């Protein structure tokens, strides 16, 4: 009886222009037959934004080096300079929005 | 007795409670899973990242996500509370949920709710007050804080 653990990315979706939604499945196989599958999700944005209008903003680029190759390819295609600029504008507009 | 469910043409979804293909009764997605939530704040994050696994259930286009941070060290945190990492992007409508904090906030301890802006994936903790705007709760440095939250929203 051989157990094997692996991951795959069955879904990658681009929503709201810059959000990349990623579903990652973890599979357990016994002698090549799938016996378990669980899902983890995360959403990537171009930057992590900290700060406020009074003290200024810091936009830290999202590190996608650990992402699946397909996710990296999509991020590189979708996150153009214009999209990145739009994201920064949107993120800063959230300050005091409530 | 007539059937109360009907398979859609793609066999991947089902019309529930009806015998005809009615869009309002179409269930086209169900999913359970986990997400990684990070407890942080608008100005600066804790010096050591505070992350835990949360859960979610998505039925159709509606998702309920929850998370529980237990005995977490938030040293270094500053600004308004944020929980990042929600599993799906919120749709076009503001969403809310419940939250409780112990030692992880310095203002807004009563009548608090989670708040998720349209198009966002970051939760905030807000509280009602007799002012023109809702107010975001401020994070507090703690060596053993607790925070539990949920939010239900329609995905983008």
């Amino acid at each position: 009886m051989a157990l094997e653990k692996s991951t795959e990315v069955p879904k990658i979706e681009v929503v709201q222009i810059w959000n990349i939604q990623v579903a990652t499945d973890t599979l357990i196989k016994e002698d090549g037959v799938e016996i378990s599958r669980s899902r983890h999700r995360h959403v990537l944005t171009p930057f992590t934004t900290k700060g406020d209008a009074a003290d200024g903003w810091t936009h830290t680029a999202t590190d996608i080096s650990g992402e699946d190759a397909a996710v990296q390819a999509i991020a590189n295609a979708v996150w153009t300079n214009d999209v990145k600029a739009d994201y920064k504008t949107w993120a800063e507009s959230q300050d005091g929005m409530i | 007795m007539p059937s109360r469910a009907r398979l859609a043409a793609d066999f991947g979804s089902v019309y529930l409670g009806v015998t005809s293909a009615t869009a309002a009764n179409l269930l086209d997605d169900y999913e359970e899973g986990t997400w990684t939530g990070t407890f942080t704040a608008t100005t600066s994050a804790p010096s050591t990242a505070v992350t835990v696994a949360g859960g979610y259930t998505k039925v159709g286009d509606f998702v309920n996500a929850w998370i529980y941070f237990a005995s977490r060290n938030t040293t270094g945190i500053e600004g308004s509370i944020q929980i990042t990492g929600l599993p799906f992007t919120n749709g076009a409508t503001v969403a809310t949920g419940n939250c409780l904090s112990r030692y992880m906030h310095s203002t807004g301890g009563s009548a608090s709710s989670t708040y998720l802006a349209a198009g966002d994936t970051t939760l905030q903790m807000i509280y009602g007050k007799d002012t023109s705007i809702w107010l975001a709760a401020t994070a507090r440095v703690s060596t053993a804080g607790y925070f539990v939250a949920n939010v239900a929203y329609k995905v983008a």
Side-chain angles (χ1 to χ4, degrees):
Chain A
M1 179 179 70
L3 291 176
E4 178 188 353
K5 181 179 179 181
S6 62
T7 61
E8 61 182 48
V9 178
K11 279 188 182 178
I12 307 169
E13 304 155 302
V14 179
V15 296
Q16 307 281 55
I17 303 173
W18 46 65
N19 282 4
I20 301 173
Q21 294 184 170
V22 183
T24 304
D25 286 358
T26 299
L27 288 72
I28 305 294
K29 291 183 178 178
E30 181 182 284
D31 296 329
V33 177
E34 183 179 320
I35 59 173
S36 171
R37 176 184 289 254
S38 59
R39 177 157 294 183
H40 183 275
R41 279 191 172 267
H42 68 291
V43 182
L44 296 168
T45 55
F47 300 97
T48 297
T49 300
K50 296 290 185 189
D52 56 42
D55 298 323
W57 299 97
T58 301
H59 301 282
T60 304
T62 299
D63 179 7
I64 58 171
S65 61
E67 299 291 336
D68 182 87
V71 174
Q72 290 187 40
I74 290 172
N76 290 329
V78 169
W79 293 345
T80 63
N81 288 336
D82 286 347
V83 168
K84 289 178 180 177
D86 288 346
Y87 179 84
K88 289 179 180 178
T89 301
W90 175 83
E92 293 176 8
S93 74
Q94 299 302 296
D95 183 37
M97 79 306 161
I98 301 176
Chain B
M1 186 173 190
S3 168
R4 292 298 180 185
R6 173 181 171 145
L7 273 177
D10 62 3
F11 295 106
S13 43
V14 62
Y15 297 96
L16 292 175
V18 292
T19 54
S20 58
T22 309
N25 300 99
L26 179 65
L27 178 61
D28 60 359
D29 193 27
Y30 179 87
E31 184 177 315
E32 299 175 16
T34 60
W35 56 287
T36 302
T38 299
F39 192 92
T40 184
T42 51
T43 303
S44 59
S47 48
T48 300
V50 176
T51 62
V52 301
Y56 71 84
T57 298
K58 180 173 180 281
V59 180
D61 60 2
F62 203 74
V63 63
N64 187 20
W66 59 91
I67 197 160
Y68 178 43
F69 298 88
S71 191
R72 298 291 162 161
N73 189 333
T74 60
T75 299
I77 200 168
E78 185 180 349
S80 301
I81 291 172
Q82 295 178 315
I83 297 174
T84 63
L86 282 170
F88 297 91
T89 305
N90 189 22
T93 304
V94 165
T96 62
N98 301 312
C99 63
L100 284 174
S101 162
R102 182 151 60 101
Y103 302 133
M104 290 175 90
H105 70 283
S106 61
T107 61
S110 62
S112 304
S113 298
T114 53
Y115 176 96
L116 181 61
D120 210 348
T121 58
T122 296
L123 269 184
Q124 298 183 73
M125 178 184 180
I126 63 166
Y127 62 102
K129 199 173 180 181
D130 188 19
T131 62
S132 60
I133 59 171
W134 301 102
L135 296 174
T138 305
R140 169 187 170 184
V141 170
S142 170
T143 56
Y146 295 76
F147 196 93
V148 59
N150 85 306
V151 64
Y153 58 104
K154 191 168 183 174
V155 301

